[in-house]
Amino acid sequence: MTRQHLPDRRDPRLDRSRSAILSAAVALLSEGGVKQVTVDAVTARSGVARSTLYRHFPNHTELLAAAFQELLPPLRLPDPDLPARERLLRLLLNQADQIDKASTVAAVVWMSTIGLSADLPADADEQTQLAALRSHVIDSYRGPFHAVLMECLPAKLSKRDSEFATAQLIGPLLFNILITGRPNDAEFCARVVDDFLAGHG
């Protein structure tokens, strides 16, 4: 009699424990920033054992990176066949939607984590982990804009030019939502993109 080969099945408990860990880490990140996302705090809030946490996330930096991706997932890239203006507009609308869905506290946490905070940890190892996290966050959220800008603008941009151009596009969204309180709607995003393209010829 031939034995049937049954496909391997993932233990659903692993999915549940990972989800509980991430939910706890995201909540702590939103409430109090990076310093609140400690292994002790996450295990206490999630009810998941420390050994199980380390099965999913081998170190603190990977846990923080996963929490940031849950809180602010990477942007969707627009269809590469669209015209340049439409690609930039779609990307900016995606960014606006992400900012609108995240809390104001999350936006501030995001800004401080990519290097706008002077409150650095004294511990050298923690500084190294935070630098790795900053690098991860920057690559995740700058990457889509860099890809589109390099293809859409008439002259090829240097990496530094691309970073400045990205700041020119995203800056008005953050200012608008945090300072004026007005929505980052399609009309506002279209004006930002049109002003940007006019300034770049």
Side-chain angles (χ1 to χ4, degrees):
M1 183 176 176
T2 305
R3 292 176 61 188
Q4 284 187 322
H5 176 71
L6 296 175
D8 293 333
R9 292 183 178 177
R10 180 178 170 85
D11 188 341
R13 290 174 298 180
L14 290 175
D15 293 330
R16 286 196 297 270
S17 61
R18 189 178 195 279
S19 178
I21 291 165
L22 271 181
S23 293
V26 168
L28 290 163
L29 187 61
S30 297
E31 292 165 10
V34 173
K35 287 187 174 182
Q36 297 301 314
V37 189
T38 65
V39 171
D40 287 342
V42 171
T43 54
R45 180 170 288 207
S46 66
V48 175
R50 179 183 289 260
S51 58
T52 304
L53 183 148
Y54 283 122
R55 284 183 65 187
H56 293 291
F57 306 102
N59 55 58
H60 183 242
T61 301
E62 289 191 26
L63 174 60
L64 276 171
F68 265 99
Q69 285 202 345
E70 283 287 310
L71 193 62
L72 297 168
L75 297 174
R76 302 182 308 276
L77 277 170
D79 185 342
D81 295 328
L82 292 172
R85 178 188 179 277
E86 187 63 23
R87 290 180 70 192
L88 279 176
L89 180 55
R90 295 271 181 99
L91 191 58
L92 200 65
L93 284 167
N94 289 342
Q95 180 70 78
D97 183 58
Q98 186 183 79
I99 291 171
D100 288 343
K101 287 179 179 175
S103 66
T104 301
V105 172
V108 173
V109 169
W110 175 51
M111 288 188 286
S112 68
T113 303
I114 62 171
L116 299 182
S117 172
D119 186 20
L120 292 174
D123 180 74
D125 184 54
E126 192 177 352
Q127 285 187 29
T128 301
Q129 289 184 0
L130 190 54
L133 177 60
R134 284 197 190 105
S135 178
H136 170 81
V137 171
I138 289 169
D139 289 344
S140 293
Y141 304 115
R142 180 182 59 196
F145 278 94
H146 178 73
V148 173
L149 287 166
M150 290 295 285
E151 295 174 13
C152 288
L153 292 184
K156 291 294 184 184
L157 297 171
S158 69
K159 184 177 178 182
R160 186 171 179 81
D161 290 338
S162 171
E163 290 171 356
F164 185 74
T166 301
Q168 287 180 307
L169 287 164
I170 298 178
L173 300 183
L174 292 172
F175 183 90
N176 199 40
I177 202 74
L178 294 174
I179 307 300
T180 70
R182 292 194 294 266
N184 288 321
D185 55 18
E187 182 182 357
F188 181 82
C189 290
R191 183 169 181 178
V192 170
V193 168
D194 288 339
D195 287 349
F196 172 83
L197 289 175
H200 285 270

